[in-house]
Amino acid sequence: MSIKLEHVNYIYEPDTAFPVHATDDVSLEIHDGEFIALIGHTGSGKSTLIQHLNGLIHPTSGTIYYNGKNIADEDFSMKELRSKVGLVFQYPEHQLFEMDVFTDVCFGPKNLGLSEEEIEQRAKDALEMVGLDESYYKQSPFELSGGQKRRVAIAGVLAMKPEVLILDEPTAGLDPKGRDEILDQVAWLHKNSHMTIILVSHSMEDVARYAQRLIVMNKGKVMFDAAPVEVFRHYKELETMGLAAPQVTYIAHALKERGFDINTDVTTVEEAKQEILRLWRQQKC
Ligand code: ADP
Ligand code: MG
């Protein structure tokens, strides 16, 4: 699986007095099995960009290839693309509507015209993947906690057996416990099912902890596309875009300025802890 974007531009309301250039000459390639985080200030074009990836919107100009095939070609199957590239919208719980959890998760695979047996098996597998056991099957989705509702919505997409899972700010509005549950589950999926993950996030801490590759957007353009540790070295430029490096990276820089021989590439609390312990042991000797 690969998705390639070449010079993708998207303009909302192009024929009006106020066209919005939401993605501006975006070129990038997404490879099989990657865990990518997409970050950027509100309005930077993240949601617009990801909607291109499963053909929900089409570029105003530019080309998108899925496994080398131009998705604008007449013989390209959009239906297949939509089932292979699963998109979980922001606040996906707003789209739950069935009477019970199980029926809701069956909705997508039902539309694929599969057998009853296959539909139920997919729903069971998907609910297991998000950590919801049989005791949830007959519950109304509306009576669940915020984090659980969101997991049901994610299961609905997983039941389509996508190769790529795109999550648009899946932790927005959740408490820290709900947030960690969702992200740990996504990390588990990436590790165990080898699904390609694209996580739209606001949190540099989450990005540093989970993603292998970080794409930073600003005003519709891709500003950085590299490993998180590499991107966070540019923390001063990130600040000009209303972003920042993880807090521990700032602490490392502050210690360095005070004369400590610390590695300023730390981006997670665990890395910072190891680095500070190393310094502490060195000073004791
Ligand atoms: P992000 O997800 O990074 O917050 P969006 O992709 O939602 O950014 O928005 C990018 C730009 O496009 C913003 O200026 C936003 O106001 C504009 N925009 C988004 N959706 C629409 C729409 N349906 N109609 C007009 N403008 C839109
Ligand atoms: Mg958005």
Side-chain angles (χ1 to χ4, degrees):
M1 186 295 305
S2 81
I3 305 174
K4 191 172 180 189
L5 278 69
E6 274 181 4
H7 306 291
V8 168
N9 286 282
Y10 190 83
I11 300 174
Y12 288 103
E13 304 178 28
D15 303 321
T16 66
F18 302 103
V20 181
H21 208 146
T23 60
D24 189 349
D25 197 27
V26 172
S27 295
L28 53 88
E29 191 163 354
I30 294 154
H31 309 277
D32 213 8
E34 283 189 300
F35 193 135
I36 300 175
L38 181 60
I39 210 152
H41 201 263
T42 304
S44 58
K46 305 179 297 295
S47 296
T48 304
L49 179 67
I50 57 169
Q51 288 175 67
H52 282 91
L53 303 180
N54 77 341
L56 213 58
I57 58 176
H58 299 283
T60 310
S61 67
T63 318
I64 299 172
Y65 300 93
Y66 182 73
N67 287 339
K69 287 190 198 130
N70 185 341
I71 73 167
D73 281 353
E74 240 167 62
D75 61 349
F76 183 86
S77 166
M78 264 312 164
K79 196 172 169 189
E80 191 192 329
L81 179 69
R82 297 222 171 102
S83 71
K84 294 288 179 214
V85 182
L87 177 55
V88 181
F89 289 97
Q90 209 174 350
Y91 300 107
E93 60 274 24
H94 294 166
Q95 283 156 19
L96 301 173
F97 60 94
E98 295 283 5
M99 293 285 284
D100 63 69
V101 166
F102 196 77
T103 315
D104 211 293
V105 176
C106 286
F107 179 78
K110 238 182 212 162
N111 285 337
L112 293 178
L114 305 167
S115 71
E116 197 66 27
E117 206 184 346
E118 170 78 13
I119 294 167
E120 290 192 2
Q121 192 56 50
R122 281 186 176 212
K124 282 180 190 163
D125 292 346
L127 283 161
E128 194 184 335
M129 282 190 221
V130 299
L132 295 175
D133 64 28
E134 279 179 38
S135 65
Y136 290 94
Y137 287 8
K138 291 291 152 209
Q139 285 193 42
S140 161
F142 306 102
E143 283 161 9
L144 303 175
S145 72
Q148 287 166 341
K149 273 186 200 156
R150 213 160 276 187
R151 282 199 265 167
V152 173
I154 294 172
V157 173
L158 291 175
M160 305 293 280
K161 291 206 175 164
E163 292 175 353
V164 184
L165 180 65
I166 307 173
L167 301 120
D168 197 352
E169 308 210 18
T171 59
L174 294 183
D175 60 21
K177 183 168 169 277
R179 189 193 69 194
D180 287 350
E181 276 173 10
I182 294 273
L183 292 178
D184 287 343
Q185 209 80 51
V186 171
W188 185 90
L189 279 172
H190 178 248
K191 190 159 174 259
N192 293 285
S193 68
H194 309 290
M195 223 176 266
T196 305
I197 306 283
I198 302 174
L199 174 75
V200 179
S201 173
H202 252 108
S203 160
M204 291 298 180
E205 273 70 22
D206 292 346
V207 162
R209 206 164 128 205
Y210 295 100
Q212 301 157 335
R213 176 176 165 195
L214 173 54
I215 298 174
V216 180
M217 289 192 73
N218 188 39
K219 297 182 182 154
K221 284 187 190 297
V222 171
M223 305 305 288
F224 294 105
D225 181 354
V229 62
E230 168 65 30
V231 174
F232 293 141
R233 286 186 193 137
H234 301 270
Y235 67 100
K236 294 217 162 96
E237 280 159 272
L238 291 175
E239 285 169 6
T240 65
M241 301 169 206
L243 303 170
Q247 283 179 344
V248 290
T249 309
Y250 285 94
I251 293 173
H253 280 282
L255 287 169
K256 183 99 181 172
E257 276 165 27
R258 284 167 180 71
F260 290 95
D261 181 26
I262 190 168
N263 176 4
T264 50
D265 275 348
V266 294
T267 58
T268 65
V269 172
E270 186 53 37
E271 285 168 7
K273 181 179 121 186
Q274 294 306 331
E275 201 43 23
I276 288 168
L277 282 173
R278 186 185 65 77
L279 286 180
W280 184 63
R281 283 191 205 105
Q282 236 174 29
Q283 302 237 320
K284 278 212 323 187
C285 296

